[in-house]
């Protein structure tokens, strides 16, 4: 086997005279990409009515974005390393913004799904480039810690802002504006990219075969997980796609060992700290995505919240996560990441356990909101140590791909968690009242309050079982953090 050649960075500028403005541009792009993963959720009923989408087709409006985003992140990260992160960042923004415009104009569900795939492709290019631009713009230590704190806040807050914004736009305008809103933001960020450093680029070749195998394997895996939640884990299509995913990913890993310019440098996984950060983020993503999903259903179905009220209910979550991320950015200069992430994960798991005690009549002010704040503070403290663990000590040539792996873990974790916990929730609810969802809507249509109350009780039991499962995911993340993370405090030099 030939020895791998060392990729040499070009002499492109890697600094900026406006670091604050550059960070604002990167943060705005990250916020836009992350919120698009949730902004469509509250608008789905309006989309279903307007475009006459079937129940099975409706899920693909969400899943198509997640599939493209999660499956193409490795390709997006490596492309930025090889061809210049600012250039690739701009290209991803253009694709994402154009796809958002087209999605808002589509006349049918098929074209909307196609636009969502295109959005996912743009997001897969923007997200890893954004994080790697931080690593090349801000020196390791306090400057990078503060920048990472802002980035982590955008990553966490973006999901809840998406839910709030989706409710406001759907109630006051129409569902198309959840896509149109990206256009002015995307254009403003695109103009601001002139403030960003080029980030340098590497002399090397893109591993096209590895990109195809890795992307296809991840897409097959996410598709299998999604189908498992919808059609059952013993479904032939689900099993077949899991087999395809395992074969493709096995071949992919084999090619990476023997490739001189691999799309996934396996040397990145030799660091126990970095590998632990990736594994922890997988389980954090699994818990977080499921939390938004089940809380939204609980508030709108069991408590009868309108879309905008459900979105506003998440404001304490967003605020608490933002404050916690800011505190975490200061603490990482004084304490090792493990010392910050450990109490954060304990708090987040405690919040999930609190959610698991919800009842149909639970109060927002004395039960839901406090549990939200505890969970959000825990997640806010956990994100930054994982982000720093993933990129700390990474050579410039690997900054993009190291960032892409972290994002991939979060997206795939979200897909895994949602698929598994949705199955658990449905089985528990149907065990209390068969065909719970159908019974709920039947009771509403017939004005049968007794049936509605029985269905609401069954749904609540299903949701609380899912929250208990999310708490278990966070406890696994806690064990990995305690045993694997060994980085020191991120002090300046």
């Amino acid at each position: 086997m030939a020895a791998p050649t060392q990729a040499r960075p070009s002499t492109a500028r890697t600094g900026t005279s406006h670091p604050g403005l550059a960070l604002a541009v990167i943060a705005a792009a990250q916020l836009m990409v992350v919120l698009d993963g949730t902004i469509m959720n509250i608008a789905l009923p309006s989309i279903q009515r307007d475009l006459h989408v079937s129940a099975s087709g409706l899920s693909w409006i969400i899943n198509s974005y997640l599939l493209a985003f999660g499956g193409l992140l490795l390709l997006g990260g490596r492309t930025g390393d090889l061809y210049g992160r600012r250039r690739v960042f701009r290209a991803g923004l253009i694709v994402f913004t154009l796809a958002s415009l087209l999605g808002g104009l589509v006349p049918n569900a098929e074209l909307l799904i196609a636009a969502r795939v295109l959005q996912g492709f743009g997001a897969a290019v923007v997200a890893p480039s954004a994080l790697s631009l931080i690593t090349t713009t801000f020196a390791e230590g306090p400057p990078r810690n503060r920048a990472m704190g802002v980035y982590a806040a955008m990553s966490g807050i973006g999901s809840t802002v998406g839910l709030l914004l989706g409710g406001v736009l759907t109630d006051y305008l129409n569902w198309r504006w959840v896509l149109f809103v990206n256009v002015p933001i995307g254009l403003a960020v695109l103009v601001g990219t002139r403030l960003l450093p080029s980030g340098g680029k590497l002399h090397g070749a893109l591993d096209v075969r590895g990109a195809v195998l890795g992307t296809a394997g991840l897409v097959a895996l996410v598709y299998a997980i999604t189908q498992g939640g919808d059609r059952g884990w013993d479904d032939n299509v689900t099993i077949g796609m899991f087999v395809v995913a395992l074969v493709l990913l096995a071949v992919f890993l084999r090619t990476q060992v023997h490739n001189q310019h691999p799309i996934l440098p396996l040397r990145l996984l030799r660091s126990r700290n970095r590998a632990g950060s990736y594994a922890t983020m997988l389980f954090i993503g699994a818990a977080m995505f499921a939390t938004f999903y089940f809380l939204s259903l609980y508030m709108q179905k069991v408590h009868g919240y309108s879309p905008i009220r459900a979105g506003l209910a998440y404001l304490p979550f967003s605020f608490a996560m933002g404050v916690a991320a800011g505190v975490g950015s200061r603490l990482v200069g004084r304490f090792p990441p493990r010392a910050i992430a450990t109490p954060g994960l304990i708090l987040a798991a405690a919040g999930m356990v609190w959610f698991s005690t919800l009842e149909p009549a639970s109060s927002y002010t004395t039960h839901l909101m406090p549990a939200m704040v505890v969970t959000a503070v825990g997640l806010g403290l956990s994100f930054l140590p994982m982000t720093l663990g993933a990129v700390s000590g990474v050579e410039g040539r690997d900054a993009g791909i190291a960032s892409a792996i972290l994002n991939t873990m979060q997206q795939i974790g979200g897909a895994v968690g949602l698929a598994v916990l949705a199955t658990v929730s449905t089985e528990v609810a149907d065990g209390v009242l068969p065909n719970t969802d159908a019974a709920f809507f039947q009771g509403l249509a017939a004005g049968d309050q007794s049936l509605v109350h029985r269905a609401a009780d069954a749904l609540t039991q299903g949701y609380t079982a899912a929250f208990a499962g999310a708490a278990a995911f966070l406890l696994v993340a806690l064990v990995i953090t305690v045993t694997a993370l060994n980085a020191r405090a991120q002090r300046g030099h």
Side-chain angles (χ1 to χ4, degrees):
M1 181 180 69
T5 59
Q6 293 288 327
R8 294 167 297 158
S10 69
T11 57
R13 180 172 62 95
T14 57
T16 176
S17 57
H18 303 284
L21 292 176
L23 179 60
V25 170
I26 295 170
Q30 179 67 8
L31 178 66
M32 181 176 66
V33 166
V34 172
L35 71 81
D36 224 69
T38 58
I39 195 171
M40 299 291 289
N41 284 281
I42 292 180
L44 287 176
S46 298
I47 296 173
Q48 187 172 28
R49 271 193 317 270
D50 193 14
L51 300 183
H52 309 290
V53 188
S54 66
S56 59
L58 198 64
S59 65
W60 278 105
I61 294 173
I62 301 298
N63 293 339
S64 56
Y65 181 80
L66 294 178
L67 280 169
F69 193 4
L72 296 169
L73 272 166
L74 291 178
L75 177 61
R78 201 55 179 168
T79 301
D81 287 339
L82 290 175
Y83 301 109
R85 290 159 195 143
R86 183 174 62 184
R87 178 188 300 172
V88 171
F89 185 69
R90 284 172 172 167
L93 281 171
I94 292 171
V95 171
F96 188 90
T97 305
L98 180 60
S100 299
L101 177 62
L102 294 175
L105 297 172
V106 297
N108 57 55
E110 291 76 16
L111 289 177
L112 177 58
I113 290 171
R116 292 284 285 166
V117 170
L118 194 59
Q119 272 190 310
F121 174 74
V125 173
V126 170
S129 297
L131 184 52
S132 58
L133 279 167
I134 288 180
T135 65
T136 55
T137 302
F138 299 91
E140 192 163 2
R144 186 181 295 179
N145 294 345
R146 288 189 291 269
M148 286 294 188
V150 174
Y151 175 88
M154 294 303 100
S155 298
I157 292 172
S159 297
T160 51
V161 169
L163 293 164
L164 171 61
L165 194 57
V168 171
L169 293 173
T170 302
D171 266 1
Y172 286 101
L173 296 170
N174 61 58
W175 67 266
R176 296 181 183 274
W177 280 93
V178 302
L179 291 158
F180 287 147
V181 71
N182 290 322
V183 176
I185 300 174
L187 292 175
V189 174
L190 193 60
V191 171
T193 56
R194 61 188 178 85
L195 299 171
L196 301 176
S198 65
K201 59 182 179 179
L202 306 179
H203 299 294
L206 183 64
D207 177 17
V208 177
R209 182 176 63 167
V212 171
L213 287 169
T215 300
L218 287 174
V219 168
L221 178 61
V222 176
Y223 181 84
I225 293 166
T226 304
Q227 289 299 100
D230 289 342
R231 301 173 61 169
W233 300 103
D234 58 350
D235 177 74
N236 289 334
V237 173
T238 301
I239 295 172
M241 291 307 295
F242 270 121
V243 172
V244 170
L246 289 174
V247 170
L248 288 173
L249 291 174
V251 176
F252 165 72
L253 290 174
R254 182 176 176 79
T255 64
Q256 298 308 286
V257 173
H258 300 287
N259 198 305
Q260 289 186 334
H261 303 288
I263 193 171
L264 174 60
L266 297 180
R267 59 182 175 273
L268 291 176
L269 304 180
R270 293 174 188 156
S271 163
R272 187 179 74 177
N273 186 65
R274 191 172 302 118
S277 297
Y278 292 149
T280 302
M281 185 58 78
L282 182 78
F283 288 97
I284 291 176
M288 187 180 72
F289 278 79
T291 301
F292 294 139
Y293 180 80
F294 291 109
L295 272 182
S296 298
L297 291 177
Y298 174 80
M299 289 189 287
Q300 293 187 71
K301 283 189 172 182
V302 178
H303 279 266
Y305 283 14
S306 66
I308 188 170
R309 188 179 178 187
L312 289 170
Y314 278 105
L315 281 177
F317 195 107
S318 300
F319 179 76
M321 183 172 282
V323 171
V327 171
S329 69
R330 295 179 179 274
L331 293 178
V332 292
R334 301 174 57 190
F335 303 99
R338 178 168 56 188
I340 302 167
T342 296
L345 289 169
I346 291 173
L347 279 175
M352 292 296 178
V353 172
W354 201 345
F355 281 135
S356 73
T357 64
L358 284 169
E359 297 178 355
S362 293
S363 165
Y364 174 79
T365 54
T366 61
H367 198 153
L368 264 177
M369 184 173 68
M372 280 187 184
V373 171
V374 170
T375 304
V377 169
L379 290 174
L381 289 174
S382 304
F383 269 113
L384 183 57
M386 298 309 111
T387 305
L388 286 170
V391 300
S392 179
V394 173
E395 297 181 33
R397 57 178 175 161
D398 292 328
I401 197 63
S403 308
I405 297 172
L406 185 71
N407 279 283
T408 299
M409 291 299 101
Q410 184 176 348
Q411 295 299 315
I412 291 179
V416 171
L418 189 52
V420 171
L421 296 181
T423 301
V424 170
S425 178
T426 300
E427 290 181 353
V428 170
D430 286 351
V432 177
L433 178 66
N435 299 315
T436 311
D437 266 324
F440 179 79
F441 289 114
Q442 180 184 343
L444 286 177
D448 185 346
Q449 290 302 308
S450 174
L451 182 56
V452 170
H453 289 155
R454 287 170 57 205
D457 180 66
L459 287 170
T460 301
Q461 291 190 47
Y463 300 154
T464 54
F467 289 129
F473 285 147
L474 289 172
L475 290 176
V476 173
L478 176 62
V479 171
I480 297 172
T481 296
V482 171
T483 57
L485 266 64
N486 58 0
R488 298 179 179 179
Q490 303 293 301
R491 295 185 175 89
H493 299 290

